[in-house]
Amino acid sequence: MSLLKIIDLHKYFRENHVLKGINMEIKKGEVVVVIGPSGSGKSTLLRCINRLEEPDKGKIIIDGEIEITHPKADLNKIRQRIGMVFQQFNLFPHLTALQNITLAPIKVKKMPRDEAEALGMELLAKVGLADKAHEYPHQLSGGQQQRVAIARALAMNPEIMLFDEVTSALDPELVKEVLDVMKQLARDGMTMLVVTHEMGFAREVGDRIVFMDEGVIVEEGKPEKIFTDPQNERTRKFLSMIL
Amino acid sequence: MAGISQFDPQLFVKILPSLAYGAYITVKLTSISILLGLILGTILGMGRISKNPLFFSISTSYVEFIRGTPLLVQIMIVYYGLPAIGLNLPAEPAGILALTLNSGAYIAEIIRAGIQSVPKGQMEAARSLGMTYLQSMRYVIFPQAFRNVLPALGNEFIALLKDSSLLSVIAIAELTRVGKQIYSTTFNAWTPLLGVALFYLMMTLPLSRLVNYAQRRIGGHELA
């Protein structure tokens, strides 16, 4: 059974039809990588899944039962099950790395502070930043900030993680440390939906590649298939431009 | 006409305690009003950016009404107008109410600017973790917004401190009123009024220094 199911999803920004009927299923433990030119609707798709954007038509179902897109859906509950990491990190600048991680568990899950801090330290260790617990975001490099952001999302113990071009704002030498954390996460069995331009990562970690262009899924399949033998002309053209 | 030579050092020393007490009343009323105004302004400021059309239009109309009418008129409405509809307030509470209603509107605009100075991604990150709108505001947006608008709030406090002199028209014994009373009993204008001005300066100068310092610390962000 699929963990996440997207059925005929549409999204408009005024007259601009950015998602034109997306259908997608993600199984538990699967790593799905979405690639495609900018403006193809990849980020919008991700942002519709936790309803940071309101889809105009279609359904998104998590766990086979809960309809995220239902008008009366309990979004705050649902969002706890879906972790999200942003291109711009969006760490809370007035809080330390550890406080960034513990805020939501303490305020949303009502976790006792010491328990939340133990969890926070554990997660910081997991992303290799145990020694930075009490630093503020501006004292950290971009790569370190993004790893804290990943730890922050993991602290809510989500069932699926959404990654929205999380290395695009990083200096080239900082990309690897973030991708390494994501690889480890994938190996640990996390279900992941990743929008990225890092084709090496897509190929190595992705269970399935989805190529999007102009608001539709043009082609999808195993990485080796997509990268070596794409069937669609648009996929071929896109890959020839970036590889 | 003796003019400025009217200034009477002996009288000046004699009236210092009265002026100091008047200054105390001025600071007291202004401080209470700015604190209450901060609560009112925070609610109205949220209204000014609310997607709820009712909350938005009530807040916006309120802010426009207050900012478009003189404080003196507002004070008189509260003090002379409210009793006509059965709400009879003594002078000091009426004064505090008028100053609160007034500063609330100006603070609302400061808070609105402060909230809007926080990048959109902050709210998105907070919501994506499952925090409610109010939790996100309280723990993520407000601490950043408040820090950004601290200098603007300081300036509002200074402005309100000076404007509170208008409360003299409803017989509150604040600094200006005390000066006026001394004038009307001694017929010496220069001594009490210079004293009054000096007391205002002694309060506003250190405050504006503090605001300037805070502004430099924050990096001089321009905020409305």
Side-chain angles (χ1 to χ4, degrees):
Chain A
M1 191 191 64
S2 53
L3 178 63
L4 195 77
K5 192 168 182 179
I6 301 170
I7 305 159
D8 192 31
L9 196 73
H10 290 261
K11 172 71 186 172
Y12 294 82
F13 288 121
R14 295 179 189 276
E15 292 90 57
N16 197 0
H17 198 176
V18 287
L19 294 179
K20 303 171 183 165
I22 300 292
N23 291 286
M24 187 186 275
E25 282 191 42
I26 300 172
K27 288 196 283 290
K28 196 168 166 13
E30 199 177 13
V31 177
V32 176
V33 180
V34 184
I35 61 172
S38 38
S40 57
K42 313 178 298 280
S43 286
T44 306
L45 172 64
L46 237 60
R47 294 165 56 84
C48 280
I49 291 174
N50 64 0
R51 279 186 53 193
L52 287 181
E53 299 289 352
E54 283 302 325
D56 291 299
K57 181 170 174 266
K59 275 186 185 177
I60 304 173
I61 295 163
I62 188 165
D63 229 3
E65 40 165 9
I66 295 160
E67 197 187 321
I68 298 173
T69 39
H70 194 281
K72 290 201 171 116
D74 185 350
L75 282 186
N76 300 321
K77 273 268 179 320
I78 289 168
R79 283 173 176 151
Q80 294 176 42
R81 307 173 65 171
I82 305 171
M84 185 156 189
V85 186
F86 301 86
Q87 183 176 348
Q88 297 296 337
F89 328 140
N90 296 343
L91 286 184
F92 307 135
H94 59 300
L95 302 178
T96 64
L98 183 60
Q99 288 168 336
N100 261 278
I101 299 171
T102 57
L103 180 68
I106 291 172
K107 300 302 176 191
V108 179
K109 284 192 167 172
K110 312 291 174 204
M111 192 183 278
R113 180 173 299 274
D114 48 350
E115 199 179 310
E117 281 176 358
L119 170 69
M121 289 309 297
E122 190 186 309
L123 289 168
L124 278 173
K126 190 170 177 171
V127 299
L129 292 171
D131 56 329
K132 303 288 184 192
H134 304 293
E135 308 265 304
Y136 285 88
H138 69 91
Q139 296 169 302
L140 303 173
S141 74
Q144 291 169 334
Q145 288 190 51
Q146 195 59 296
R147 283 144 69 195
V148 173
I150 293 173
R152 177 176 69 177
L154 290 174
M156 294 304 281
N157 196 20
E159 292 156 60
I160 180 168
M161 288 278 285
L162 310 175
F163 292 88
D164 188 7
E165 297 194 31
V166 297
T167 57
S168 298
L170 294 175
D171 291 335
E173 74 273 18
L174 302 177
V175 168
K176 187 175 175 294
E177 63 188 59
V178 174
L179 293 181
D180 284 345
V181 167
M182 291 166 67
K183 278 180 206 166
Q184 186 56 46
L185 211 55
R187 255 178 265 146
D188 293 345
M190 176 59 78
T191 311
M192 295 163 61
L193 183 55
V194 184
V195 169
T196 188
H197 295 292
E198 296 292 330
M199 293 305 145
F201 173 85
R203 197 165 183 163
E204 185 187 336
V205 184
D207 296 312
R208 182 153 47 103
I209 307 294
V210 172
F211 173 67
M212 275 180 74
D213 193 15
E214 291 177 2
V216 296
I217 293 178
V218 175
E219 186 169 354
E220 61 182 306
K222 294 263 175 220
E224 53 270 33
K225 177 83 178 158
I226 297 284
F227 283 112
T228 54
D229 184 24
Q231 300 301 300
N232 190 290
E233 181 53 37
R234 276 146 87 184
T235 320
R236 240 173 284 161
K237 204 169 149 222
F238 174 72
L239 289 174
S240 73
M241 283 191 306
I242 58 162
L243 288 181
Chain B
M1 275 293 134
I4 196 162
S5 64
Q6 253 194 346
F7 184 81
D8 178 349
Q10 267 177 322
L11 177 62
F12 185 74
V13 172
K14 208 178 123 200
I15 63 174
L16 272 179
S18 305
L19 292 179
Y21 190 74
Y24 158 74
I25 297 294
T26 288
V27 169
K28 184 181 88 175
L29 297 183
T30 306
S31 305
I32 295 173
S33 303
I34 206 95
L35 285 178
L36 295 175
L38 200 55
I39 297 169
L40 177 64
T42 301
I43 296 167
L44 291 170
M46 287 174 74
R48 294 280 289 120
I49 52 162
S50 174
K51 282 179 188 145
N52 180 324
L54 188 66
F55 191 21
F56 172 80
S57 47
I58 290 175
S59 307
T60 305
S61 315
Y62 179 86
V63 168
E64 276 172 3
F65 174 78
I66 294 290
R67 299 211 307 174
T69 53
L71 174 58
L72 183 57
V73 174
Q74 294 160 15
I75 291 170
M76 294 199 287
I77 288 177
V78 168
Y79 191 60
Y80 301 115
L82 289 187
I85 56 168
L87 191 63
N88 227 324
L89 287 177
E92 273 201 18
I96 289 172
L97 179 61
L99 291 187
T100 299
L101 294 176
N102 181 268
S103 68
Y106 287 92
I107 291 174
E109 288 302 275
I110 294 172
I111 297 287
R112 179 191 56 74
I115 292 172
Q116 288 174 337
S117 73
V118 179
K120 204 167 137 260
Q122 292 288 308
M123 178 57 95
E124 292 184 349
R127 296 308 299 277
S128 78
L129 291 164
M131 289 162 82
T132 64
Y133 178 78
L134 285 179
Q135 282 175 328
S136 309
M137 274 291 177
R138 180 167 163 203
Y139 299 115
V140 175
I141 307 299
F142 276 136
Q144 299 179 57
F146 194 72
R147 186 176 176 274
N148 290 347
V149 299
L150 215 48
L153 286 174
N155 283 329
E156 171 60 20
F157 183 82
I158 293 169
L160 193 67
L161 188 103
K162 291 184 290 178
D163 289 346
S164 70
S165 65
L166 290 170
L167 294 177
S168 59
V169 302
I170 57 169
I172 293 175
E174 46 69 64
L175 183 53
T176 302
R177 173 87 178 183
V178 169
K180 221 160 84 183
Q181 272 170 336
I182 295 169
Y183 161 67
S184 62
T185 51
T186 62
F187 297 103
N188 183 315
W190 277 102
T191 312
L193 294 183
L194 266 182
V196 166
L198 262 172
F199 266 93
Y200 276 113
L201 267 180
M202 281 182 341
M203 296 188 283
T204 55
L205 275 184
L207 277 170
S208 58
R209 285 287 163 83
L210 205 68
V211 167
N212 281 339
Y213 172 75
Q215 214 144 23
R216 276 200 310 276
R217 282 283 311 265
I218 294 171
H221 289 306
E222 288 287 326
L223 284 170

